[in-house]
Amino acid sequence: KQEVTQIPAALSVPEGENLVLNCSFTDSAIYNLQWFRQDPGKGLTSLLLIQSSQREQTSGRLNASLDKSSGRSTLYIAASQPGDSATYLCAVDTGGYNKLIFGAGTRLAVHP
Amino acid sequence: DAGVTQSPTHLIKTRGQQVTLRCSPISGHKSVSWYQQVLGQGPQFIFQYYEKEERGRGNFPDRFSARQFPNYSSELNVNALLLGDSALYLCASRMGGQGPRENSPLHFGNGTRLTVT
């Protein structure tokens, strides 16, 4: 049974810091991994999708890596800003029925 | 272009009642899926519909049902509501269907917040 774990559960950093969010999964048989952002009371915004054949994806200040063999992904946020404050969720796609399996998320607070 | 739209945004129901939630996918997206997110947890998969047919179902009781219409919009129905059904219900759409050839991201709506009292 696929399980997704995110560490840390919460993180508070001063503005300008570079930070890393971690995601691990138990079954390496995935087709892709997605990182999402969720603001309080809102839906999910897709940030990055890494296909199983890829090692990393970049979008602006965000860089996500994938090591399928070890069951790990990281989301790197450069030069964090208060507007980055949100919950970040990772999810693995096992290739069927759009059934993403999510971690519980990392709640990020960036203070000025 | 409009994103995934869901209605209503908030809903309060009493135990035992029935509820219908609605979702309109992004234009051109034929696949719609539903997720339940309880406070403090990640979303959990409920259903996927593609081309108006149910293609996948998560570990939810038969009180949960859904359908997809010819215009690809979708409804989620929950009967005999329980207190534990209180959650944010999220709808997501995707261009294609499923499987290894489908690597496009899922796009989520802002959800319907259901409170059961």
Side-chain angles (χ1 to χ4, degrees), chain A residues 31-32 34 36 38 41-46 49-52 89 93 95-105, chain B residues 31 33 35 37 40-43 45 48 55-56 88 90 94 97-100 102-106 108-110 113:
Chain A
Y31 288 103
N32 61 59
Q34 260 186 275
F36 294 89
Q38 186 173 32
K42 299 292 187 181
L44 279 63
T45 300
S46 179
L49 182 148
I50 312 176
Q51 297 182 21
S52 61
L89 294 147
D93 188 344
Y97 312 120
N98 293 336
K99 181 181 178 181
L100 297 188
I101 299 172
F102 284 84
Chain B
S31 172
S33 50
Y35 286 77
Q37 186 178 24
Q41 297 181 19
F45 173 78
Q48 189 230 3
R55 299 300 180 99
L88 180 67
L90 295 162
R94 179 181 245 173
Q98 62 198 53
E102 182 49 64
N103 259 311
S104 59
L106 274 183
F108 283 82
N110 281 331
R113 171 72 62 189

Side-chain angles (χ1 to χ4, degrees), chain B residues 57 60-65 77 79:
Chain B
R57 185 186 183 109
F60 281 80
D62 291 344
R63 299 184 296 107
F64 288 76
S65 64
N77 296 285
N79 294 322

